[in-house]
Amino acid sequence: MPKPQPSGSGNRSGQQLAGYLSQDTICALATAMGGPVVILRVSGPDSENVLEKTCLLKKMDLAGARKLVLRKILDFEGKLLDEGLVSYFLGPESLTGEDCIEFHLHGSIAVVTDLVRTLAKLGVRQALPGEFSFRAVRNGKVSITQAEAVSDLISSSNRQASELALEKMQGAQNRGLMALSEELKQAIVLGELGIDFSDQDIDEVSVVALRKKLKDLAGKLERLCAGYDRGSKLQNGVVVAFVGLPNAGKSSFFNALLGEERAIVSEFPGTTRDVIRERLTLQGTKSSVTLILHDTAGLREGVDPVEKTGVQRTREIGKEADLLLLILDATGDAEPLLREWKKTGVKGEKTLGILTKCDLISDTRKKEWRKKLQLEFENTDIKDWAETSSVTGVGVHEAGRKIVEYCEKQVFREPGEILLTRFEQLQAIERCLEHIKRAESVEVQELFVADLRQALGALDPLIGRVLPEDILGRIFSQFCIGK
């Protein structure tokens, strides 16, 4: 259920949508500040006027050859702001389908600020998040999935995610979804033929015959739905929770895995009160995997309300995690941890044991631990344990390898396989499947065709054929400014 919006947010949403739908000339940085060079983009009907006022150039001086020229860039009073490279892209052969300018400036906050002020004097407003991509979709330059892939590529933190985003940018996902759409269209055409020639009893266009054709299509859609979980983890990361008793070495192992002092380590129990999150990308045998690491409060009956809240969050994170790291202090006892772990309700098949502080015990004690762990956890499906020391670093690399080995299976992707990475995409496929399933259960040909038409309509937003403008605005408001 959507969260209720605060008072007045509807007006702001409407104003933002009106901004996306406007024909204004817009500007935004296409690169982050802080480097030696920044790129500022301008797009819209007044681009030629901007070029003339800031660079004393006509668009035809640049547009034909797509040249980058070194030019003095002036403010609204004709004073020199900077000397940089300028290019002009004549619509519709541009990023947005409109006339566009790119200013390549020196990376000075003062220069950029003064140029933005100059543009404002010339009637150019600062772009909304994702407004350049919005205009590209609106003007037919790219599909909605290709535009979303740009955002996915920017946020990708591992090779598989970037490869998937690049394939989407090249239109691979859109072509695959269009092919499914065409199969639905064909079924609709045959269904309508069955209605037109219902008095001739043609088997090929009967509901019974068409149901068989739908089974293959439904199977393809179900596989897309099933792949969403992998696609989401591939793009956003696999959630890994560190769970154990207080002072078990969770934060020390967390820091050792990250290679930096991220979590506070103390000899006093209960130091970690809240969940500490960090992203980490590790290289596996086949690919790199992004992990979202959660260091949590130690499992025990909290001695104060704050710690009790932290322990409750630990249990919640443990249930939601894709992989749970059960942290056991080699100088302590396994039984209390086993008891607390069972309270989480987490299955052993998604749990990896980490034995910490192994530098403090002898080799003989390590052998005893191996037998003890096998015995005490034999009915839990926790079959794998890594022996580590965060102080010496021994075993940390091996533990990381085991973690990645597990997580690689969570994000495995066949070459060229379409994986949905956004919840809205999953919802569209699920709605399509729902209508197909309903069509399979009816006997009346007219109702059968009507359900298939609704199934086809459910796919339209996904492939960008029909997309309500408010949905477009919601999607692109999550993009970066300047994209």
Side-chain angles (χ1 to χ4, degrees):
M1 181 180 294
K3 293 182 180 179
Q5 293 182 327
S7 176
S9 62
N11 291 335
R12 289 196 299 273
S13 177
Q15 291 168 359
Q16 188 177 52
L17 179 59
Y20 279 113
L21 299 177
S22 74
Q23 300 296 324
D24 301 343
T25 300
I26 58 174
C27 71
L29 285 174
T31 57
M33 289 297 299
V37 176
V38 296
I39 299 175
L40 187 134
R41 284 176 175 159
V42 174
S43 178
D46 289 334
S47 294
E48 182 176 11
N49 181 50
V50 169
L51 188 69
E52 289 181 10
K53 292 291 194 298
T54 60
C55 301
L56 305 180
L57 285 170
K58 297 285 188 181
K59 68 179 181 181
M60 296 316 297
D61 294 334
L62 297 178
R66 295 260 182 123
K67 294 180 289 189
L68 264 174
V69 298
L70 182 63
R71 201 72 184 177
K72 288 181 171 61
I73 299 169
L74 311 176
D75 69 5
F76 53 87
E77 294 179 343
K79 295 178 181 178
L80 181 65
L81 281 178
D82 194 11
E83 188 172 20
L85 297 173
V86 181
S87 59
Y88 195 93
F89 301 89
L90 189 64
E93 301 301 321
S94 69
L95 169 74
T96 61
E98 305 170 329
D99 284 6
C100 293
I101 306 171
E102 280 192 0
F103 293 96
H104 295 240
L105 310 165
H106 291 97
S108 161
I109 294 176
V111 168
V112 172
T113 301
D114 286 345
L115 181 55
V116 170
R117 285 174 178 165
T118 294
L119 295 177
K121 292 277 187 180
L122 298 174
V124 179
R125 67 170 172 84
Q126 293 190 55
L128 296 167
E131 193 168 2
F132 284 85
S133 296
F134 181 96
R135 292 189 177 197
V137 172
R138 185 180 67 187
N139 295 328
K141 298 299 294 182
V142 294
S143 69
I144 184 67
T145 52
Q146 287 174 301
E148 288 178 322
V150 174
S151 179
D152 286 349
L153 182 61
I154 292 169
S155 62
S156 65
S157 54
N158 61 77
R159 184 57 187 160
Q160 277 203 100
S162 63
E163 285 176 352
L164 179 60
L166 286 167
E167 286 180 19
K168 289 180 182 179
M169 285 174 63
Q170 297 300 312
Q173 176 170 300
N174 204 55
R175 287 191 294 272
L177 294 172
M178 287 291 289
L180 295 177
S181 174
E182 289 301 318
E183 286 187 48
L184 260 178
K185 281 184 183 178
Q186 184 63 22
I188 291 169
V189 169
L190 292 174
E192 289 177 338
L193 280 174
I195 295 172
D196 293 339
F197 297 97
S198 57
D199 58 335
Q200 299 188 27
D201 196 25
I202 304 173
D203 290 338
E204 289 82 355
V205 294
S206 68
V207 170
V208 175
L210 291 175
R211 275 199 197 118
K212 294 179 180 178
K213 293 181 179 293
L214 285 181
K215 286 187 181 299
D216 181 55
L217 177 58
K220 293 176 182 177
L221 293 169
E222 285 169 350
R223 285 192 289 275
L224 276 177
C225 289
Y228 167 73
D229 188 52
R230 285 185 292 128
S232 178
K233 290 175 185 175
L234 188 154
Q235 177 66 36
N236 302 314
V238 181
V239 176
V240 180
F242 292 58
V243 174
L245 301 179
N247 271 14
K250 297 184 302 301
S251 296
S252 295
F253 181 65
F254 182 81
N255 290 339
L257 205 56
L258 286 171
E260 62 176 295
E261 295 296 318
R262 177 62 181 86
I264 297 173
V265 177
S266 167
E267 63 186 50
F268 300 105
T271 303
T272 303
R273 298 296 188 93
D274 204 352
V275 177
I276 300 174
R277 298 175 180 84
E278 282 292 337
R279 290 170 68 90
L280 176 67
T281 299
L282 295 177
Q283 182 63 44
T285 55
K286 298 178 181 177
S287 62
S288 55
V289 179
T290 298
L291 313 175
I292 306 175
L293 306 178
H294 292 70
D295 185 20
T296 64
L299 290 172
R300 67 169 177 173
E301 296 303 321
V303 295
D304 60 64
V306 175
E307 188 175 355
K308 285 180 181 178
T309 301
V311 171
Q312 180 59 35
R313 289 183 180 178
T314 296
R315 293 195 171 106
E316 290 171 358
I317 288 291
K319 291 177 182 178
E320 296 170 1
D322 303 309
L323 173 62
L324 188 145
L325 301 181
L326 194 62
I327 311 296
L328 174 59
D329 180 354
T331 65
D333 186 13
E335 198 279 329
L337 176 62
L338 177 59
R339 187 170 59 248
E340 290 291 340
W341 173 76
K342 286 181 177 178
K343 290 180 184 178
T344 66
V346 178
K347 294 181 179 179
E349 61 194 32
K350 73 166 196 175
T351 302
L352 173 64
I354 305 292
L355 191 64
T356 59
K357 306 183 184 180
C358 288
D359 57 310
L360 301 179
I361 62 174
S362 65
D363 290 342
T364 302
R365 180 59 176 154
K366 289 178 187 176
K367 291 178 182 178
E368 291 174 357
W369 262 118
R370 290 167 198 154
K371 292 179 182 179
K372 188 174 183 178
L373 291 172
Q374 187 175 10
L375 178 64
E376 295 200 23
F377 289 86
E378 64 179 347
N379 297 320
T380 65
D381 291 327
I382 305 176
K383 305 300 182 186
D384 206 359
W385 286 83
E387 299 173 4
T388 69
S389 167
S390 300
V391 173
T392 65
V394 172
V396 174
H397 177 77
E398 176 64 14
R401 185 191 64 77
K402 290 176 183 287
I403 293 169
V404 173
E405 192 176 81
Y406 176 89
C407 293
E408 273 188 312
K409 299 172 186 175
Q410 305 293 303
V411 297
F412 175 74
R413 174 177 174 252
E414 295 284 353
E417 180 185 7
I418 295 175
L419 285 181
L420 306 179
T421 56
R422 294 171 179 262
F423 185 61
E424 295 82 2
Q425 297 170 347
L426 175 65
Q427 287 180 309
I429 297 294
E430 286 178 336
R431 283 193 296 269
C432 180
L433 257 176
E434 182 183 337
H435 292 303
I436 287 177
K437 296 293 185 184
R438 196 164 63 189
E440 290 177 333
S441 65
V442 301
E443 300 294 336
V444 180
Q445 190 110 7
E446 288 83 356
L447 294 177
F448 177 83
V449 172
D451 282 326
L452 290 191
R453 285 196 172 281
Q454 286 183 298
L456 183 62
L459 284 182
D460 280 348
L462 195 57
I463 57 181
R465 184 180 291 117
V466 176
L467 200 61
E469 289 167 342
D470 61 330
I471 294 178
L472 269 175
R474 190 165 67 246
I475 290 172
F476 287 101
S477 66
Q478 302 170 22
F479 277 43
C480 301
I481 300 286
K483 296 299 180 185

